[in-house]
Amino acid sequence: MSDKFRIEHEGPLPAVPEQVWLAVTRDSEAWLMPSEPMKDTAIVWDPPYRCVAREQSGDWFHQIEFQIEARDGGSYIRYVHSGVFEDDWDTQYDGARKHTGFYMHTLAEYLKHFQGRPYRHVEVHAPPTSATAAGLQPVRTALGIHDTTEPGGTLVAALPTIGEVEAVLDFHNEYFIGLRTSDALYRFFGRNFFGAPVVLGAYQYGAQDVALETVADEWTGWLADVFGGAA
């Protein structure tokens, strides 16, 4: 059954409004995912303070709104995601709401540590065997994350294409894992909770020696090994 939804988030960001504006309207692939320029579907376009992008077909619509204001040398953002979910409303809403907090945290990490640098992004899906109640636990084990590992702490993990590296565990709960290295953000999404396989998003910044196709292939193999499924 279809019905409307509305998800809101607000909080400070470590960048001035002009930098936040570019990140959310132009450079979404640097911290979120590739998308069409927001200006193409904007019904409000007031840089660098407010953008509303909307798609609509009959009773169905999908709308994203960003409000940005300067505050304390940085910015304060208000984000509203609204629209219509047509199937499995409770699961879709729960997934979108939980993802929002993680996405906004990743935006802050990008702005604080990497904004302005060249970027590239690859998304890799774990095998179907990851869509179980165990979820991200095999990933935690492979990365060396323990029950006592606190967000904000560091760990040494063996990652595809780069080997052993010191990383900051910048985000960690039952649904998501966020790692930050000196030149990358690695985001693990426990979408098993929402009926889908686990997903990795790798965001790399600056000059890179390894082809993006190789990064995708090696992470695909790593996830297959972790979850015991075919790559």
Side-chain angles (χ1 to χ4, degrees):
M1 184 176 68
S2 65
D3 201 356
K4 294 179 181 179
F5 71 92
R6 182 181 176 92
I7 297 167
E8 300 183 37
H9 174 94
E10 62 180 81
L13 288 174
V16 298
E18 289 79 6
Q19 293 168 323
V20 176
W21 177 266
L22 290 178
V24 301
T25 64
R26 189 191 69 182
D27 297 332
S28 64
E29 190 174 2
W31 59 278
L32 182 60
M33 62 188 68
S35 64
E36 296 298 319
M38 287 191 71
K39 194 170 185 179
D40 291 353
T41 55
I43 57 175
V44 177
W45 188 259
D46 181 24
Y49 301 113
R50 185 168 181 245
C51 174
V52 182
R54 183 181 178 96
E55 298 176 79
Q56 185 160 2
S57 177
D59 293 333
W60 176 90
F61 74 95
H62 180 255
Q63 181 169 299
I64 298 290
E65 178 176 358
F66 292 101
Q67 297 182 49
I68 306 162
E69 66 179 69
R71 184 179 294 188
D72 300 328
S75 298
Y76 195 87
I77 192 168
R78 293 179 177 85
Y79 167 82
V80 181
H81 179 197
S82 58
V84 174
F85 287 139
E86 295 184 326
D87 299 297
D88 197 7
W89 194 95
D90 289 342
T91 298
Q92 289 198 66
Y93 176 77
D94 187 43
R97 183 175 57 85
K98 287 183 169 68
H99 277 70
T100 294
F102 190 39
Y103 287 146
M104 293 295 106
H105 170 83
T106 300
L107 171 60
E109 288 289 293
Y110 163 70
L111 290 167
K112 183 175 181 179
H113 299 283
F114 302 112
Q115 69 93 14
R117 296 172 62 177
Y119 58 81
R120 63 183 194 174
H121 164 229
V122 64
E123 182 176 286
V124 179
H125 291 244
T129 49
S130 67
T132 68
L136 288 174
Q137 188 52 49
V139 174
R140 293 187 185 93
T141 300
L143 294 174
I145 299 172
H146 306 288
D147 291 341
T148 57
T149 308
E150 293 289 337
T154 59
L155 54 86
V156 176
L159 304 182
T161 74
I162 59 176
E164 276 198 354
V165 63
E166 186 175 273
V168 175
L169 182 67
D170 67 89
F171 193 99
H172 184 212
N173 64 20
E174 63 181 312
Y175 303 100
F176 309 106
I177 298 170
L179 291 183
R180 187 185 75 244
T181 67
S182 61
D183 63 356
L185 293 170
Y186 298 99
R187 315 280 96 176
F188 297 88
F189 300 87
R191 291 181 179 161
N192 56 295
F193 286 99
F194 315 112
V198 168
V199 172
L200 162 81
Y203 303 84
Q204 298 180 322
Y205 307 99
Q208 302 291 329
D209 296 329
V210 181
L212 197 60
E213 293 80 5
T214 301
V215 175
D217 288 345
E218 293 203 15
W219 272 108
T220 298
W222 188 89
L223 287 167
D225 290 341
V226 164
F227 287 103

